Amino acid sequence: MAEPQAPALPLYLQVAAALRDDLAHHRIAPGSRLPSERSLVHRFQVNRQTVRSALQLLRDERLVVTERRGTFAALPGPQAAKPVLAPGLLDFPCGPGSPDATAETGLAWEAAPPELAERLGLLPGEQALVHRHRLLGADGTPVHRQALSRFSRYAVAEVPELARYRRADTWPHRPDLRLLYHWMHRAGLRLTRRESIGVGRGPASGACLSVHREVRDQHGHVLELTDIRFAPDSASWTYEFTS
């Protein structure tokens, strides 16, 4: 039986993707003016609101800037290499973190616990993509904040930036998934998040706060399950995103 086809991306995301490709390959040079909305409507055969939504997304990513004279490709600069998240989306998995801490990250393919496998859409014995994250202090001392995330089969299939991790030999030395929620948003997924907070035992056998996060898309598919633990005297917990 053929695999089910992924639903088509919304039109504004298709337009944004085409323009993003033009910008990335300098078919629209940095600093140059983008075609008018009317020209983009004609090129993509969509309505003007679709074009405006696509341009707003590119503005959120800081790839273009709009002023009185029109919309222009952003000039290279310190912010150009890393697009910002859409409004309200924080860095995966633990928010922005502290400026004096560095992250240790790693990826693996592992079997999910039986109680989680079905929620992640996995077949019996099928492995899930797992991301581990730990914050370290400026001097290398451990910070009691760590996160373990498991991604569903659906998330890996729908998000191109996750799909590239199907082959372990392509993994970077230090995988950086901070823009995960931006990638999901760009893939046309609208996210809802549910978090449960409790008290448990930490890595150093002391009390810790634990947060269990479940992220779903607009169709109810589970995308990610994350468990975060941190010592209450080392960090506060504020996390919010909408999409």
Side-chain angles (χ1 to χ4, degrees):
M1 183 176 66
E3 293 188 3
Q5 296 296 311
L9 289 178
L11 287 176
Y12 83 96
L13 289 175
Q14 296 180 43
V15 172
L19 293 175
R20 194 182 294 109
D21 191 64
D22 288 344
L23 293 165
H25 291 89
H26 288 191
R27 291 189 287 270
I28 302 175
S32 63
R33 185 173 179 173
L34 270 68
S36 67
E37 288 185 0
R38 178 178 295 180
S39 297
L40 294 174
V41 165
H42 179 74
R43 172 185 170 183
F44 294 108
Q45 295 297 298
V46 295
N47 61 43
R48 182 161 292 195
Q49 185 54 51
T50 297
V51 167
R52 288 176 176 170
S53 296
L55 292 175
Q56 182 59 54
L57 181 57
L58 296 179
R59 280 192 290 271
D60 290 339
E61 297 174 8
R62 295 183 184 171
L63 295 177
V64 303
V65 294
T66 298
E67 53 186 60
R68 186 170 298 179
R69 296 180 298 125
T71 298
F72 296 80
L75 292 170
Q79 297 300 323
K82 178 189 172 185
V84 297
L85 300 176
L89 303 184
L90 296 183
D91 288 359
F92 169 86
C94 297
S98 57
D100 59 345
T102 57
E104 259 187 8
T105 61
L107 289 171
W109 284 97
E110 298 177 2
E115 66 271 16
L116 299 182
E118 185 175 354
R119 292 167 64 195
L120 293 168
L122 302 176
L123 299 173
E126 185 178 2
Q127 295 183 324
L129 180 63
V130 174
H131 178 266
R132 287 181 171 84
H133 173 99
R134 186 169 67 130
L135 284 181
L136 302 177
D139 59 355
T141 57
V143 174
H144 286 182
R145 186 188 299 185
Q146 57 189 26
L148 186 150
S149 303
R150 294 181 174 90
F151 300 106
S152 70
R153 172 199 273 209
Y154 184 81
V156 174
E158 291 298 309
V159 182
E161 291 84 356
L162 288 181
R164 66 182 176 176
Y165 294 125
R166 285 194 176 102
R167 291 178 51 196
D169 59 354
T170 65
W171 293 353
H173 176 61
R174 293 187 62 186
D176 186 353
L177 272 64
R178 285 176 295 176
L179 291 179
L180 173 69
Y181 299 125
H182 175 90
W183 300 338
M184 289 180 173
H185 178 79
R186 195 162 66 188
L189 304 176
R190 297 294 173 261
L191 312 180
T192 59
R193 176 211 62 194
R194 183 176 186 271
E195 288 178 351
S196 305
I197 301 175
V199 178
R201 306 300 295 178
S205 299
C208 75
L209 293 179
S210 63
V211 179
H212 177 76
R213 179 190 306 147
E214 179 176 299
V215 177
R216 294 178 177 265
D217 71 0
Q218 66 268 39
H219 305 296
H221 298 118
V222 171
L223 301 172
E224 165 215 337
L225 298 174
T226 292
D227 288 289
I228 304 169
R229 298 163 71 93
F230 59 88
D233 60 350
S234 68
S236 60
W237 177 253
T238 302
Y239 203 98
E240 179 180 358
F241 67 79
T242 56
S243 176

